[in-house]
Amino acid sequence: MEVAALTVLLFVVHLLVGDMLLDYPVSLLVWTTTPWTIPANRAVCISREAKYCVVDYECPRGNREHLIVAMNRLGDIRHVLKQQLPVVVTLSGHSLESLKYHHPLQFDIHCPILAASHVTMETGTGLVHTAPAHGMEDHSTGKEHGLDLHCAVDDNGNFSESVSFGLAGKSVLDEGNTAVIDLLERQGALLHLSDYQHRYPHDWRTKQPVILRSTPQWFANLSGLKEQAVRCLSNVKMTPPTSANRMVSMLEGRDDWCISRQRVWGVPIPAFYSCSTGEVLMNRASVSHVISLVKQHGTDCWWRLSVHDLLPREMVEQFGSEEFIRGEDTMDVWFDSGTSWASVLRDVSDGQTGIADLYVEGSDQHRGWFQSSLLTRVAVDGVAPYRHIITHGFVLDEENRKMSKSLGNVVSPNDIINGNKDQRGYGADIMRLWVASTDCSTDVSLGPGLLSRIADQFRKVRNTERFMLGNLFDFNPSTELLPDHQLLPLDQYALHLLHSYSEEVTQAYEECNFSKVHHSLMRLFTVDMSSFYFDCIKDRLYVEAAKSSIRLSAQTVLYHVLSVTCKSFAPIMPHLAEEIYSHRIALPNESVSAFKNGWLDCPSSWRRPDLAGDFEIARQVQNLAHSVLEKARIDRAIGSSLEADLVIAAPPGRVYEALKRLHGRDGTCGASTLCDIMITSHVSLVCSEEMATQPDLHVHDCTAIETGLPENKVFLTTGDILLSDGSLPATHVTVQASRCCLEKCPRCWKQWSATADTVCQRCQHVLDTQASSSIDRKSLRVEQINKS
């Protein structure tokens, strides 16, 4: 449908004298936007519930006429006709029903006034010209009341020879339309003529108006089939679920299916027509003969062979081939595609005579392929041809306009992947990631700006995986994977997050909710890993002894995160997944392909809700710490967060106990999980009461002491801590930051050294261990050489 400038006219038709409601002649003021259909007028439709009135109209010739119009439309009609149109009497819509009037062009034809639901009071006069041969609503009204459905427009869009008044052979959209207007004007029936902006069907390719006309067609009667089809559809999973209601309503409102088309291509309907009577010949014998010819010559034989060859021999001998002509109708393409299950699925050995796991198409297929497949399969086998239907929307440009060659806004997938002279190529994975990022159940936008943002997300995923690969360069999963109970609390919490992620994406894949997979992956990498966990473990990865248990603990988690996430996005970004697996150190029984190691394997032991609550509290405190550290940086009291001491004050209770558990010593020099989370050199945890009585607290080796440095400025922030499950009432926490009084270790950069330019105790211990290990390896090598 497109908005177009059409001709709107108001014309009058005269009621029969015997049907007069009043003592004087009365006419109907009828309106239409398709004057060319007036020769096919067979009724005037009204609204039974509306109020109508008789108005006094002064004709241009000076005489007066009484016209019937809808009361709700009287104001606009007065404006159009530029007359006061005084009301003579009011009438009910019901009182007008079944009255008859003279046809506007042929007075000897008498037509009825009918009530119809499509008549509204938004436009027009409330009396609608009805031509059953030229419109869906008109046709339905005509069938309901037994009106003449004969079409007077031929295949070339011209008035047929059956139309009088000199209209025959004239184009209905051009000179024929003008001729009808002239006829009305000469008869004095035309009251108004003007252009009108109105929605009217246009051909999508040529953009020209469409001529609606009734023609003989082949129909399949669905009255005995649609109820069974609806029952079968109730056992089919629909994505999105709302699409089920749409398809059911379409099925229930469909009584027949027009299976014929008038095209120069397609599968022919094997019908023959008698030249003398027009009677149809199509029986089992004639159809079987045509089938045998199609098997031998293909469907083109219907057009290439003679009628003599197309008819069975016995029929030719009985009637003669000159008695019949072949039909030129082709089968509806939806019937062709709808019966594809008969060819594609019949050989599937699933125990259910070939039921497809999934049908995927656009929302327009609820009336098309989805429905034709269902109806044909139910008719033959009594079952639906599919277990699951996914309905997707359509791709629009960045301005949410439909893509069209005429508009020049079509975005080619090939150009996105491989690029062209105007843009670089993004590759298949970014194209697939964009698809996964969208809610496919609705129309989605696509353009350079959106692709650029998706490319940034792709690089985020790739760089995150590369960080993990880089920190696993010296990790052998066959011998160095630690069991869950040997992992540090922070690492166990990371596996808990990974377990939740695996459950979430697995369910999303099962529901074909790919946008949720995309959202979960980006949240895991951006919020949980890059912005939290990776920052917390970098000190262990870069500073601790290569084979220390606390470094292996972090590497164990990185190995699991790399494996699980890589497999989880492999269906969306297969090339990236395979690239990662080509560099990953695999276990002995693992494949080098991300697609050959099964689905996500996350043991239940990774699920740790007991730890999750503690770390949710700690991460909220971390946000407060970042806020106060930023204040100190802006004031130039510190440069890096490692130059700061933190004091965290919480009241006795859940929050304090959780932070206390995370503040246990995990390493040397006073390091703790809480210290790693805050990314500072020192953290002190105190009760709020202690904070209130000792405002000059400073931290060193996890012990609160007085600094004695009056110039050391203290920064403060406060906030409420809440748990997402609502189990924790708002708890007020205070975080205090000041510059550390110790020196920076040149190796780990933490403020743990007693004097400048000397390594801290932790780093010295690591260096001594590595030196001892190197001497041991050298001695072993010398011993081996001596023995040889």
Side-chain angles (χ1 to χ4, degrees):
M1 300 289 285
E2 292 188 9
V3 175
L6 303 177
T7 300
V8 63
L9 57 82
L10 305 182
F11 63 95
V12 296
V13 294
H14 304 291
L15 286 176
L16 289 177
V17 174
D19 281 347
M20 289 296 179
L21 291 171
L22 305 170
D23 297 332
Y24 42 81
V26 178
S27 300
L28 308 177
L29 185 58
V30 187
W31 83 293
T32 183
T33 57
T34 53
W36 62 267
T37 64
I38 289 178
N41 175 272
R42 292 297 178 268
V44 168
C45 285
I46 60 160
S47 172
R48 182 180 289 122
E49 293 76 21
K51 292 292 184 182
Y52 290 81
C53 61
V54 177
V55 298
D56 187 15
Y57 171 72
E58 183 178 351
C59 300
R61 295 187 299 272
N63 59 314
R64 309 190 74 81
E65 191 165 356
H66 292 94
L67 307 177
I68 296 178
V69 297
M71 284 290 291
N72 287 350
R73 300 298 307 152
L74 186 55
D76 287 340
I77 296 171
R78 284 169 171 165
H79 176 73
V80 169
L81 297 180
K82 296 180 174 54
Q83 290 193 26
Q84 288 300 314
L85 302 178
V87 175
V88 177
V89 67
T90 60
L91 305 166
S92 68
H94 180 72
S95 67
L96 297 176
E97 282 190 76
S98 300
L99 297 181
K100 292 187 183 300
Y101 63 91
H102 296 280
H103 188 281
L105 297 179
Q106 295 175 276
F107 275 34
D108 58 332
I109 296 179
H110 303 156
C111 306
I113 300 176
L114 304 173
S117 60
H118 65 269
V119 179
T120 67
M121 296 298 124
E122 297 173 0
T123 55
T125 65
L127 297 103
V128 180
H129 151 65
T130 300
H134 301 293
M136 287 295 296
E137 293 167 334
D138 294 27
H139 186 77
S140 298
T141 302
K143 285 183 64 178
E144 181 183 351
H145 295 279
L147 301 181
D148 178 17
L149 304 180
H150 176 68
C151 176
V153 179
D154 63 22
D155 293 347
N156 296 317
N158 301 326
F159 283 117
S160 66
E161 295 299 326
S162 63
V163 183
S164 54
F165 313 109
L167 296 174
K170 294 183 177 181
S171 170
V172 299
L173 294 180
D174 190 10
E175 55 181 341
N177 196 61
T178 304
V180 171
I181 296 173
D182 291 341
L183 282 171
L184 289 173
E185 189 170 18
R186 286 200 300 270
Q187 294 183 8
L190 181 63
L191 266 63
H192 175 76
L193 178 68
S194 64
D195 289 338
Y196 179 68
Q197 294 294 319
H198 187 58
R199 292 184 64 83
Y200 187 82
H202 282 61
D203 176 56
W204 68 273
R205 187 181 296 276
T206 64
K207 309 301 182 185
Q208 296 301 310
V210 173
I211 300 173
L212 300 178
R213 64 191 189 115
S214 62
T215 55
Q217 302 290 341
W218 289 91
F219 289 87
N221 187 349
L222 303 181
S223 58
L225 185 63
K226 60 182 181 180
E227 290 184 4
Q228 186 181 3
V230 170
R231 286 196 300 270
C232 291
L233 193 64
S234 65
N235 298 320
V236 176
K237 181 180 179 182
M238 304 286 285
T239 302
T242 52
S243 62
N245 297 332
R246 186 166 187 260
M247 189 166 172
V248 167
S249 65
M250 288 181 173
L251 278 169
E252 291 177 338
R254 188 175 189 181
D255 294 323
D256 47 43
W257 174 8
C258 180
I259 61 173
S260 56
R261 295 291 184 271
Q262 289 70 55
R263 298 185 183 274
V264 296
W265 53 268
V267 176
I269 295 177
F272 299 90
Y273 298 88
S274 170
C275 296
S276 57
T277 65
E279 186 179 348
V280 177
L281 171 64
M282 187 168 62
N283 54 33
R284 185 177 297 275
S286 66
V287 172
S288 297
H289 182 68
V290 172
I291 289 174
S292 66
L293 294 174
V294 170
K295 288 181 178 179
Q296 185 177 357
H297 303 289
T299 55
D300 280 354
C301 70
W302 181 257
W303 317 110
R304 290 189 292 103
L305 298 180
S306 66
V307 174
H308 181 278
D309 295 327
L310 292 172
L311 282 169
R313 180 178 300 176
E314 58 272 18
M315 291 185 180
V316 174
E317 294 173 352
Q318 181 179 358
F319 304 106
S321 59
E322 293 78 13
E323 171 62 19
F324 296 98
I325 59 172
R326 82 192 84 202
E328 296 185 354
D329 294 329
T330 58
M331 187 72 73
D332 177 16
V333 292
W334 294 124
F335 192 94
D336 289 347
S337 60
T339 54
S340 58
W341 53 264
S343 304
V344 177
L345 300 176
R346 282 300 194 189
D347 296 331
V348 177
S349 301
D350 64 350
Q352 296 191 38
T353 64
I355 306 295
D357 289 320
L358 182 65
Y359 269 43
V360 184
E361 249 294 357
S363 55
D364 58 334
Q365 300 308 311
H366 290 142
R367 186 176 288 278
W369 184 46
F370 293 152
Q371 193 174 136
S372 63
S373 299
L374 177 67
L375 292 171
T376 53
R377 188 62 186 269
V378 170
V380 176
D381 296 326
V383 297
Y386 34 61
R387 299 186 181 92
H388 188 185
I389 286 178
I390 294 180
T391 303
H392 62 72
F394 297 92
V395 182
L396 311 175
D397 67 10
E398 281 190 305
E399 298 178 9
N400 290 324
R401 298 177 303 172
K402 179 182 176 182
M403 289 193 182
S404 169
K405 290 181 180 178
S406 61
L407 294 176
N409 63 343
V410 175
V411 180
S412 167
N414 189 59
D415 289 343
I416 294 173
I417 295 171
N418 299 315
N420 55 35
K421 61 182 179 64
D422 298 320
Q423 68 176 43
R424 65 182 180 88
Y426 286 98
D429 277 4
I430 291 178
M431 177 70 184
R432 295 168 66 92
L433 182 61
W434 167 76
V435 174
S437 70
T438 63
D439 178 5
C440 67
S441 64
T442 62
D443 292 346
V444 297
S445 301
L446 176 62
L450 289 168
L451 286 171
S452 178
R453 289 193 290 272
I454 292 296
D456 290 340
Q457 293 178 1
F458 175 83
R459 283 189 289 271
K460 174 64 179 177
V461 173
R462 193 175 189 276
N463 289 338
T464 302
E465 298 284 341
R466 187 170 63 176
F467 170 83
M468 290 186 280
L469 278 173
N471 282 284
L472 291 171
F473 76 99
D474 61 343
F475 182 74
N476 186 347
S478 299
T479 59
E480 295 174 343
L481 273 177
L482 297 184
D484 300 344
H485 67 275
Q486 292 184 18
L487 302 178
L488 299 187
L490 177 61
D491 301 323
Q492 294 180 30
Y493 171 64
L495 289 184
H496 170 81
L497 295 174
L498 187 62
H499 184 275
S500 299
Y501 166 79
S502 70
E503 288 185 330
E504 196 171 86
V505 297
T506 299
Q507 181 181 357
Y509 272 121
E510 290 175 350
E511 296 172 351
C512 298
N513 190 348
F514 306 114
S515 62
K516 188 174 182 180
V517 176
H518 166 265
H519 177 74
S520 299
L521 175 66
M522 298 312 301
R523 187 184 67 238
L524 179 75
F525 275 2
T526 304
V527 178
D528 293 330
M529 294 298 152
S530 295
S531 299
F532 175 68
Y533 180 67
F534 290 170
D535 282 345
C536 296
I537 64 172
K538 284 177 180 177
D539 180 72
R540 276 191 275 156
L541 291 172
Y542 301 157
V543 177
E544 295 291 349
K547 300 304 176 183
S548 64
S549 61
I550 59 175
R551 185 170 184 269
L552 291 178
S553 177
Q555 287 182 303
T556 295
V557 172
L558 290 182
Y559 182 84
H560 289 315
V561 173
L562 179 75
S563 301
V564 170
T565 56
C566 187
K567 286 193 286 187
S568 73
F569 64 67
I572 297 172
M573 297 176 283
H575 299 91
L576 177 60
E578 293 294 78
E579 180 189 12
I580 292 167
Y581 257 70
S582 68
H583 293 281
R584 170 181 168 272
I585 300 175
L587 292 169
N589 59 342
E590 282 189 309
S591 169
V592 294
S593 171
F595 295 96
K596 295 183 178 180
N597 290 309
W599 189 233
L600 313 184
D601 182 19
C602 296
S604 58
S605 59
W606 289 2
R607 189 173 181 276
R608 292 293 303 276
D610 55 321
L611 279 177
D614 288 357
F615 279 94
E616 185 179 352
I617 290 171
R619 292 178 72 169
Q620 292 184 60
V621 175
Q622 183 197 52
N623 291 334
L624 295 176
H626 287 170
S627 175
V628 74
L629 290 171
E630 184 62 23
K631 291 180 182 179
R633 266 191 290 267
I634 293 173
D635 200 66
R636 297 187 177 182
I638 62 171
S640 162
S641 63
L642 294 176
E643 298 174 5
D645 286 345
L646 283 186
V647 177
I648 301 172
R654 174 78 180 276
V655 171
Y656 180 81
E657 293 301 323
L659 296 176
K660 186 177 180 180
R661 282 190 292 271
L662 297 178
H663 203 32
R665 295 171 183 268
D666 293 334
T668 58
C669 295
S672 72
T673 299
L674 195 60
C675 209
D676 290 338
I677 293 172
M678 304 305 154
I679 315 177
T680 58
S681 296
H682 305 279
V683 173
S684 176
L685 176 65
V686 297
C687 285
S688 301
E689 291 84 351
E690 185 179 355
M691 188 78 166
T693 57
Q694 301 182 58
D696 198 23
L697 289 175
H698 192 73
V699 184
H700 177 62
D701 195 18
C702 295
T703 304
I705 64 170
E706 294 187 10
T707 64
L709 300 174
E711 71 278 4
N712 194 2
K713 192 172 183 180
V714 175
F715 300 86
L716 193 72
T717 192
T718 61
D720 290 333
I721 306 300
L722 296 164
L723 286 180
S724 56
D725 62 5
S727 62
L728 178 68
T731 304
H732 199 67
V733 171
T734 301
V735 180
Q736 174 184 298
S738 59
R739 184 174 180 82
C740 184
C741 61
L742 296 179
E743 298 293 338
K744 176 180 177 181
C745 171
R747 183 172 181 271
C748 69
W749 293 12
K750 288 198 172 183
Q751 307 285 119
W752 282 355
S753 297
T755 57
D757 298 324
T758 59
V759 296
C760 62
Q761 295 180 20
R762 189 265 302 262
C763 287
Q764 188 61 56
H765 175 73
V766 171
L767 292 172
D768 292 344
T769 302
Q770 289 178 336
S772 174
S773 176
S774 176
I775 293 172
D776 290 342
R777 287 195 299 273
K778 183 176 181 181
S779 300
L780 178 61
R781 179 60 178 159
V782 171
E783 184 179 347
Q784 290 174 342
I785 293 173
N786 290 337
K787 286 183 178 180
S788 63

